[in-house]
Amino acid sequence: MGLGKTVTDGQDVLPILTDIHLAVPAGSSAAVVGPSGCGKSTLLGLLAGLDVPSAGKVFWAGEEISCLDEEARAARRRGNLGFVFQSFQLLPHLSAIENVMLPLELSRSTEAQSAAAEMLEAVGLGQRMHHFPSTLSGGEQQRVALARAFVGRPRLLFADEPTGSLDAASGARVMEIFFDLQRQTQTTLVLVTHDHAVAEKCQQQIRLEAGRLV
């Protein structure tokens, strides 16, 4: 609530976000839209606890996380939060199933392999789970990234331009799977997008201009 973010270039203080008030109901979806440079990705980073605001507070399910240090925020994210990046962020030396297993292994799940295989089946990659990222198309890599994000059944999922690196047909297919998984798992979703068709699929649209809500 009342989020603000400023940076300094050594002399001047530059406002990136100013007095942002928003709430996303549990289990719903919200799209952050607006022109390039308006602060969308900065807002996403604050909401995901990847950065801390210069002003205001961020709450997850009633708990303030913006007051926590980096280590404590990382602990809160583990098992509660998923993130999907425009550039996929898959580890090239791991197969598809190994990439999806990774967050479960970090949380010491005893069923990482079976859960990862099930999720890859759900995104249509059951026959490709032992392939490495370099042998997968962009759309397939993003589906692996979706499987990795959803496999831990996170309460919160953040996505930064999830179709930005894909052609129109691949992007449409990926987002169809994305929203199907979000509805099935009742995960709270916040995504940044320039794609109006994607934004319209969300229950709420948050528009930024010059770092302010409009």
Side-chain angles (χ1 to χ4, degrees):
M1 303 297 290
L3 286 183
K5 184 66 179 179
T6 59
V7 297
T8 179
D9 62 2
Q11 293 182 331
D12 299 320
V13 176
L14 308 174
I16 306 300
L17 295 171
T18 304
D19 198 28
I20 304 294
H21 292 263
L22 62 91
V24 181
S28 69
S29 56
V32 182
V33 299
S36 295
C38 70
K40 300 187 299 297
S41 292
T42 299
L43 177 59
L44 199 70
L46 295 178
L47 297 178
L50 301 176
D51 194 6
V52 291
S54 305
K57 300 176 180 180
V58 177
F59 293 87
W60 294 352
E63 178 190 8
E64 184 186 351
I65 60 96
S66 49
C67 65
L68 303 176
D69 62 25
E70 185 174 352
E71 184 177 348
R73 295 198 313 275
R76 293 296 190 282
R77 288 195 298 270
R78 196 174 302 122
N80 290 310
L81 182 146
F83 211 106
V84 178
F85 301 90
Q86 176 179 338
S87 56
F88 318 139
Q89 297 289 334
L90 301 179
L91 296 179
H93 61 284
L94 297 182
S95 66
I97 191 169
E98 289 168 338
N99 267 283
V100 178
M101 287 170 61
L102 190 58
L104 296 178
E105 290 179 326
L106 291 174
S107 62
R108 301 188 178 181
S109 170
T110 58
E111 300 179 348
Q113 186 167 356
S114 59
E118 181 180 346
M119 188 57 71
L120 284 168
E121 290 282 359
V123 300
L125 291 176
Q127 302 300 314
R128 306 278 279 167
M129 65 177 65
H130 297 295
H131 289 244
F132 288 87
S134 61
T135 67
L136 301 174
S137 69
E140 288 172 332
Q141 289 185 60
Q142 190 62 299
R143 280 189 273 163
V144 174
L146 292 188
R148 182 180 59 189
F150 278 104
V151 73
R153 304 281 174 171
R155 292 190 299 167
L156 298 166
L157 182 63
F158 296 91
D160 193 358
E161 295 286 1
T163 60
S165 298
L166 304 177
D167 60 68
S170 296
R173 174 59 178 151
V174 163
M175 293 315 296
E176 180 182 352
I177 295 169
F178 197 174
F179 285 107
D180 282 346
L181 289 172
Q182 185 265 332
R183 285 188 291 267
Q184 290 168 22
T185 58
Q186 286 296 290
T187 296
T188 304
L189 169 65
V190 181
L191 64 85
V192 163
T193 184
H194 282 99
D195 189 327
H196 294 293
V198 171
E200 288 172 0
K201 291 181 181 292
C202 293
Q203 293 160 293
Q204 180 180 358
Q205 294 187 33
I206 300 158
R207 183 167 183 82
L208 292 181
E209 287 187 10
R212 294 180 179 270
L213 286 180
V214 295

